[in-house]
Amino acid sequence: MASIPPALRALAGDAARGIGRSPADAEPFARILVDNWFDSPESVSGCRPEELAVLGIPLRFAQTIVSLAAGGAKSSASRNTVGGGRESVRRPSTKPAIRPAPPPPQQRNP
């Protein structure tokens, strides 16, 4: 049985705190992640919460951990990366697309 990597343990603890639980409450779910070959926050970030829920992880915890892993909030896991920094990820803009104004109506000659 593989040990829980520190960054994944920190991520799980942050997710537990985010929903009002203790980091100890997250240990069994961190173990489920490791048992299913999730070994880093990056490996969790590519999942949908529903995929983790199928593994036996509570949906609310799954939603929170996926959000944190994807950079939804600053977690201690992201502060513990090599070099002390976070990888820069380009995300799509949440601003609406700017569309050109429609042409003015044409006037008809009677």
Side-chain angles (χ1 to χ4, degrees):
M1 188 182 299
S3 64
I4 300 170
L8 192 59
R9 185 183 308 271
L11 177 68
D14 288 348
R17 279 189 289 276
I19 59 173
R21 304 297 292 256
S22 75
D25 290 337
E27 282 291 314
F29 308 123
R31 169 61 42 213
I32 289 172
L33 291 171
V34 170
D35 289 346
N36 285 278
W37 298 5
F38 292 96
D39 58 357
S40 67
E42 292 78 19
S43 64
V44 174
S45 70
C47 285
R48 292 189 329 263
E50 296 79 13
E51 294 171 320
L52 298 180
V54 170
L55 299 175
I57 295 173
L59 182 58
R60 186 169 175 219
F61 179 81
Q63 291 167 333
T64 304
I65 199 167
V66 168
S67 175
L68 287 173
K74 192 95 168 171
S75 70
S76 63
S78 66
R79 291 188 298 271
N80 290 337
T81 58
V82 175
R86 285 185 44 133
E87 191 175 311
S88 177
V89 178
R90 199 162 194 204
R91 292 188 174 73
S93 173
T94 57
K95 295 179 182 177
I98 299 174
R99 295 189 176 106
Q106 294 181 359
Q107 294 182 354
R108 295 186 184 183
N109 291 333

